[in-house]
Amino acid sequence: SFLWFFAPQAGNDPEHPDFSAICPTLEDYVVNLPANNFIQIKSVPLWCYDERRFGKPGKNWALKMPRDKEAFQRFIREQVKLLPPGPQVIKVWNEPWDMYAPEDYATLCNWIGEAAKQVRPDLLMGPNLGPMDYMAKFLDHGGMKDMDLLIVHPYSADFTSTPEAAVMRERLRAWRELLKQKTGRDYPLYVAEVGWPTPAGTDWPALPHMPTPSSSAKSLPMPSTLVS
């Protein structure tokens, strides 16, 4: 399951962020639910919003590149302190290539990874990457410095064919090889999203609208899966 860490829902005090709104969700999903969870850190508090760079806050303002490293890292540390003990997998943002320059995303991952591991060095953390040219630039800017794994969404590249027809295995292999080439390390790959196309008139016209036994058997084991 996914758990998204958002900015405080009440109060804008950088010294005392109010996370009370998400605490019941943490309890439900991380403590009470017997499941493997990806915890997705994906928000910027208002006091770290860069109005000079992005203008007045509008749609998706909490997803923009933050300003003030020190204040943002303090916010991240306070979030991470809410996590219960035990192994947790942290996904840093979601599909950033449509919003972030690769160098900005590398900086964001470094800020979050450094802050989170100051209070929870046991966390397993990973960026979410996909397009190969974007990933190469991200790696060139040192984005894997405090990361432990790579999180991918191996949908078909054209959103019309199935992942198998879009050479999913080859794409997984290419991501792994690029990581090794750029960093000198072998990183595990985790699949956090995958899907098989559905009907005409949507973005996914290759399969019937209702799941088939074949598509269900393929897709259900895949979310939140470590690719060995």
Side-chain angles (χ1 to χ4, degrees), residues 3-5 19 21-33 37 39 79 81-84:
L3 194 63
W4 291 12
F5 262 26
F19 294 109
I22 67 169
C23 286
T25 304
L26 278 171
E27 182 75 15
D28 287 343
Y29 279 87
V30 182
V31 178
N32 297 331
L33 185 68
N37 291 290
I39 298 172
Q79 278 194 324
K81 287 177 184 177
L82 300 174
L83 295 175

Side-chain angles (χ1 to χ4, degrees), residues 43-80:
S43 70
V44 175
L46 188 60
W47 57 86
C48 291
Y49 177 73
D50 193 344
E51 188 169 323
R52 178 175 295 181
R53 180 176 179 182
F54 300 113
K56 295 291 184 181
K59 184 180 179 181
N60 294 328
W61 67 266
L63 304 181
K64 303 288 188 181
M65 180 69 192
R67 64 172 181 84
D68 193 338
K69 176 183 177 182
E70 183 178 345
F72 181 67
Q73 287 191 316
R74 184 165 58 246
F75 165 73
I76 294 297
R77 286 192 292 270
E78 292 304 311
Q79 278 194 324
V80 169

